[in-house]
Amino acid sequence: MIQVCVCGLINHPNNPDLYLAVSRKNNPNDFGLPGGKFEKEDIRYDWGLEREIIEETGLKTILNTNELFVNIENNNIVLTYKGIIHYKQHPDEIKTEETGEVKWLLASQLITGSFADYNKKMFDFFGIKYD
Protein backbone atom coordinates (compact mmCIF):
# COMPACT_ATOMS: atom_id res chain seq x y z
CA MET A 1 0.00 0.00 0.00
CA ILE A 2 1.26 3.48 -0.87
CA GLN A 3 1.81 5.88 2.04
CA VAL A 4 1.85 9.66 1.53
CA CYS A 5 3.98 11.66 3.95
CA VAL A 6 4.31 15.42 4.23
CA CYS A 7 7.16 17.45 5.68
CA GLY A 8 8.20 21.07 5.84
CA LEU A 9 11.43 22.88 5.12
CA ILE A 10 10.85 25.84 7.43
CA ASN A 11 13.40 28.68 7.58
CA HIS A 12 14.14 30.61 10.73
CA PRO A 13 12.81 34.13 10.03
CA ASN A 14 15.90 35.85 11.44
CA ASN A 15 18.53 33.45 10.09
CA PRO A 16 17.90 31.94 6.64
CA ASP A 17 20.69 29.37 7.22
CA LEU A 18 18.68 27.63 9.96
CA TYR A 19 15.88 25.12 9.44
CA LEU A 20 13.29 23.74 11.82
CA ALA A 21 14.19 20.17 12.81
CA VAL A 22 12.63 17.49 15.01
CA SER A 23 14.40 14.47 16.47
CA ARG A 24 13.13 10.93 16.15
CA LYS A 25 11.09 9.88 19.16
CA ASN A 26 13.38 6.94 19.86
CA ASN A 27 16.65 8.78 19.14
CA PRO A 28 17.13 12.39 20.32
CA ASN A 29 20.28 12.73 18.18
CA ASP A 30 18.66 11.81 14.85
CA PHE A 31 17.01 14.91 13.34
CA GLY A 32 14.77 15.38 10.34
CA LEU A 33 12.20 17.84 9.10
CA PRO A 34 8.86 18.17 10.90
CA GLY A 35 6.04 16.22 9.32
CA GLY A 36 4.40 12.85 9.18
CA LYS A 37 1.83 10.68 7.51
CA PHE A 38 -1.00 12.35 5.61
CA GLU A 39 -4.41 11.57 7.10
CA LYS A 40 -7.55 11.63 4.94
CA GLU A 41 -9.34 13.97 7.34
CA ASP A 42 -6.69 16.62 6.58
CA ILE A 43 -8.29 16.95 3.10
CA ARG A 44 -5.26 18.75 1.60
CA TYR A 45 -1.60 17.81 1.90
CA ASP A 46 -0.50 21.28 3.04
CA TRP A 47 -3.20 21.28 5.73
CA GLY A 48 -1.90 17.94 6.97
CA LEU A 49 1.59 19.37 7.16
CA GLU A 50 0.42 22.44 9.08
CA ARG A 51 -1.29 20.09 11.58
CA GLU A 52 1.88 18.00 11.94
CA ILE A 53 4.09 21.06 12.48
CA ILE A 54 1.79 22.42 15.18
CA GLU A 55 1.65 18.99 16.88
CA GLU A 56 5.43 18.53 16.79
CA THR A 57 6.60 22.10 17.50
CA GLY A 58 3.67 24.30 18.54
CA LEU A 59 4.66 26.72 15.76
CA LYS A 60 2.25 27.98 13.12
CA THR A 61 3.63 28.21 9.61
CA ILE A 62 2.91 29.80 6.28
CA LEU A 63 3.62 27.30 3.51
CA ASN A 64 4.52 28.12 -0.05
CA THR A 65 2.50 25.55 -1.94
CA ASN A 66 4.27 26.57 -5.17
CA GLU A 67 7.60 25.33 -3.82
CA LEU A 68 7.20 21.59 -3.50
CA PHE A 69 9.66 18.70 -3.69
CA VAL A 70 8.17 15.26 -4.41
CA ASN A 71 10.13 12.06 -3.86
CA ILE A 72 8.84 8.54 -4.52
CA GLU A 73 10.70 5.57 -3.03
CA ASN A 74 9.46 2.08 -2.29
CA ASN A 75 5.82 2.54 -1.31
CA ASN A 76 6.23 6.08 0.02
CA ILE A 77 5.45 9.39 -1.60
CA VAL A 78 7.01 12.23 0.36
CA LEU A 79 5.97 15.83 -0.26
CA THR A 80 8.17 18.61 1.14
CA TYR A 81 6.83 22.15 1.19
CA LYS A 82 8.95 25.22 1.89
CA GLY A 83 7.63 27.62 4.47
CA ILE A 84 8.23 30.24 7.13
CA ILE A 85 7.04 30.76 10.69
CA HIS A 86 3.83 32.74 11.05
CA TYR A 87 4.79 36.40 11.29
CA LYS A 88 3.06 36.98 14.65
CA GLN A 89 4.93 34.23 16.43
CA HIS A 90 8.48 34.26 17.80
CA PRO A 91 10.48 31.42 16.20
CA ASP A 92 11.70 30.13 19.56
CA GLU A 93 8.20 29.72 21.05
CA ILE A 94 8.43 25.95 20.72
CA LYS A 95 5.74 24.23 22.76
CA THR A 96 5.06 20.56 22.27
CA GLU A 97 4.00 17.50 24.19
CA GLU A 98 5.76 15.25 21.68
CA THR A 99 8.76 13.25 22.87
CA GLY A 100 11.13 14.45 20.14
CA GLU A 101 13.45 17.41 20.56
CA VAL A 102 12.91 20.51 18.40
CA LYS A 103 15.85 22.64 17.22
CA TRP A 104 16.91 25.07 14.52
CA LEU A 105 19.73 23.41 12.54
CA LEU A 106 21.99 24.15 9.58
CA ALA A 107 21.49 22.22 6.35
CA SER A 108 24.84 20.50 6.99
CA GLN A 109 23.40 19.08 10.22
CA LEU A 110 20.37 17.68 8.41
CA ILE A 111 22.36 15.52 5.99
CA THR A 112 23.27 12.94 8.63
CA GLY A 113 21.14 10.27 10.25
CA SER A 114 18.05 8.47 9.01
CA PHE A 115 16.99 11.15 6.55
CA ALA A 116 20.40 12.02 5.07
CA ASP A 117 19.77 10.76 1.52
CA TYR A 118 16.31 12.30 1.31
CA ASN A 119 17.49 15.64 2.70
CA LYS A 120 20.39 15.81 0.22
CA LYS A 121 17.98 15.26 -2.70
CA MET A 122 15.58 17.83 -1.29
CA PHE A 123 18.30 20.44 -0.69
CA ASP A 124 19.64 19.84 -4.22
CA PHE A 125 16.15 20.33 -5.65
CA PHE A 126 15.71 23.65 -3.81
CA GLY A 127 19.29 24.75 -4.64
CA ILE A 128 20.39 24.86 -0.99
CA LYS A 129 24.05 24.21 -0.19
CA TYR A 130 24.66 21.75 2.63
CA ASP A 131 28.44 21.26 2.57
Side-chain angles (χ1 to χ4, degrees):
M1 176 150 95
I2 294 176
Q3 177 67 57
V4 177
C5 299
V6 291
C7 56
L9 181 64
I10 311 299
N11 272 108
H12 190 287
N14 302 323
N15 185 343
D17 294 331
L18 294 176
Y19 300 93
L20 190 61
V22 180
S23 74
R24 304 285 293 184
K25 292 176 183 177
N26 59 352
N27 184 347
N29 298 312
D30 188 7
F31 282 86
L33 302 177
K37 294 177 183 171
F38 175 74
E39 298 174 11
K40 290 179 185 177
E41 53 272 9
D42 291 326
I43 301 172
R44 291 178 29 174
Y45 295 122
D46 55 329
W47 293 355
L49 176 56
E50 289 174 353
R51 175 189 51 76
E52 286 284 351
I53 292 172
I54 290 170
E55 285 176 7
E56 293 180 2
T57 70
L59 296 171
K60 293 180 182 175
T61 58
I62 299 171
L63 301 174
N64 183 345
T65 55
N66 294 322
E67 292 192 75
L68 173 65
F69 172 64
V70 179
N71 189 63
I72 301 171
E73 284 187 19
N74 303 321
N75 288 327
N76 292 315
I77 299 173
V78 183
L79 310 173
T80 301
Y81 291 93
K82 286 183 79 175
I84 58 171
I85 295 303
H86 190 272
Y87 69 94
K88 293 181 180 179
Q89 194 169 16
H90 190 278
D92 297 324
E93 290 180 7
I94 296 169
K95 298 173 188 166
T96 180
E97 294 180 13
E98 298 272 328
T99 56
E101 187 175 351
V102 181
K103 287 185 177 182
W104 293 97
L105 298 177
L106 298 167
S108 60
Q109 295 171 292
L110 287 166
I111 58 164
T112 62
S114 300
F115 305 103
D117 291 338
Y118 178 84
N119 287 345
K120 286 178 185 177
K121 290 178 195 175
M122 180 262 312
F123 285 133
D124 287 342
F125 175 84
F126 287 126
I128 296 169
K129 296 184 186 227
Y130 49 82
D131 291 337

